[in-house]
Amino acid sequence: MIAQEFTHPDDAAALKMLESIPVLPKVVKKVMDLGMERFYKGINLATKIRLSPTQLPELYEILPPICRRLGIAEPEFYLEMDPNPNAYAFGDTYTAITINSGLVEMLTREELKAIVAHECGHILCRHMLYHTLAMTLVDGMAEDSGLRLLAEPINYALMFWNRKGELSCDRVSAFICGPATAARALGRLAGGPDSITGNLNLVELAEQAEQYEKYATDGFWNKTLQMSAVLGMTHPFTSVRISEVLRWVASEEYKKLREKYPSCPVCFEETAPGQKYCQHCGSKL
């Protein structure tokens, strides 16, 4: 698959702006020369569980089919203990995806697959170099006030792009697992597990994004407050993400993508031309 088929226009525009910062290529090179990828690979191997066909295979087996379908090399796949649900991709030449225990406990298998597909989207969309730099700066700025002062302008530019890049990856997630599953996984991250959010109305949650947009642009002070709220955030607000996903899957662009890469309308697994029934769920095609 081609990255541009999923790239959100805001992601492309923000990346163009990011690449126009004169000092940024030097910063990227310096960070990578310092061996940050090697550092984090050591941390991953030492502190997390590396998933494999023989190590918690029920979790590992989520990843390879997604990678094959997207046409990307399989990254290392890790599980870490953390009750706060999260997943992230890290590295450029060395790439790894980490999911944590809180995420696994909260989501269904299909929802977990949607989150993993989102992280694979970062690899497909070639986000990893700047994405890794953003994560490194966030960690470094939390530890070093001097670095915070020096890197803050670059960090804000990276965070702005990172938020836009998440919208592209949400599209990948919706394509691989279906829009309802992708949106539901995001809703769970906002409100909690199925025992609490089982009857979540995704359309109504998406409508909150419209209400938010009106509120956030209503006057100078509201604009200022909401701009300050998102300035250092790595991800867009949840209702905005769900709204963007539902808008995209209603577009002609999404329809053409489905025609180009046929899949089951029920389970969204890939299907072959001429198939009458889905080999995965048995649904009539």
Side-chain angles (χ1 to χ4, degrees):
M1 291 181 180
I2 304 170
Q4 287 79 4
E5 294 175 318
F6 297 95
T7 302
H8 192 284
D10 289 353
D11 177 6
L15 180 59
K16 187 176 180 180
M17 180 193 72
L18 195 63
E19 291 174 335
S20 70
I21 300 174
V23 73
L24 193 59
K26 292 182 180 179
V27 173
V28 174
K29 186 178 186 307
K30 186 64 176 176
V31 170
M32 293 309 166
D33 286 349
L34 288 171
M36 295 309 298
E37 288 182 306
R38 294 181 183 184
F39 173 79
Y40 279 106
K41 178 164 185 172
I43 295 298
N44 285 346
L45 289 169
T47 64
K48 304 174 186 177
I49 297 172
R50 184 172 179 181
L51 304 173
S52 74
T54 52
Q55 180 64 275
L56 302 177
E58 66 279 6
L59 291 177
Y60 166 76
E61 287 163 5
I62 292 173
L63 179 65
I66 297 172
C67 294
R68 286 195 297 270
R69 196 164 171 199
L70 294 178
I72 61 173
E74 190 177 312
E76 293 182 4
F77 195 19
Y78 289 93
L79 172 69
E80 70 178 350
M81 205 295 289
D82 191 330
N84 297 308
N86 195 22
Y88 52 92
F90 187 90
D92 181 48
T93 54
Y94 151 71
T95 306
I97 289 175
T98 297
I99 56 175
N100 69 20
S101 56
L103 191 77
V104 174
E105 286 187 330
M106 188 175 74
L107 301 182
T108 67
R109 184 175 179 82
E110 282 305 303
E111 291 163 357
L112 183 60
K113 179 181 173 183
I115 298 298
V116 174
H118 172 99
E119 297 306 327
C120 287
H122 284 300
I123 301 171
L124 174 69
C125 294
R126 299 184 183 134
H127 288 163
M128 295 309 296
L129 186 61
Y130 287 124
H131 187 64
T132 297
L133 178 62
M135 291 179 66
T136 302
L137 280 177
V138 167
D139 289 346
M141 288 169 68
E143 300 293 332
D144 189 325
S145 58
L147 178 62
R148 185 184 302 117
L149 185 65
L150 179 66
E152 205 160 57
I154 294 174
N155 182 58
Y156 286 145
L158 280 165
M159 292 301 102
F160 178 79
W161 165 75
N162 204 82
R163 290 193 296 273
K164 303 306 181 182
E166 296 297 325
L167 302 177
S168 300
C169 298
D170 287 340
R171 290 181 171 190
V172 175
S173 177
F175 182 83
I176 293 295
C177 299
T181 300
R184 194 166 57 247
L186 292 173
R188 299 269 192 262
L189 292 175
D194 181 71
S195 58
I196 300 172
T197 58
N199 295 320
L200 186 66
N201 186 326
L202 294 173
V203 174
E204 188 170 336
L205 183 54
E207 287 172 354
Q208 286 182 211
E210 297 178 17
Q211 297 169 24
Y212 171 74
E213 183 63 26
K214 291 178 182 177
Y215 179 78
T217 56
D218 182 20
F220 173 78
W221 189 234
N222 271 9
K223 288 179 183 179
T224 302
L225 289 173
Q226 295 309 310
M227 187 179 297
S228 68
V230 302
L231 199 58
M233 290 177 59
T234 58
H235 290 63
F237 291 129
T238 302
S239 63
V240 173
R241 294 175 69 181
I242 292 174
S243 176
E244 288 287 342
V245 165
L246 297 183
R247 185 181 297 119
W248 181 63
V249 299
S251 70
E252 193 65 26
E253 180 184 4
Y254 176 79
K255 181 182 177 182
K256 288 179 180 177
L257 204 56
R258 282 282 169 213
E259 291 170 353
K260 184 177 180 180
Y261 305 107
S263 63
C264 174
V266 177
C267 70
F268 290 88
E269 293 288 349
E270 189 174 14
T271 57
Q275 276 186 248
K276 294 184 177 180
Y277 294 92
C278 175
Q279 63 183 16
H280 303 280
C281 71
S283 299
K284 188 175 181 179
L285 301 176

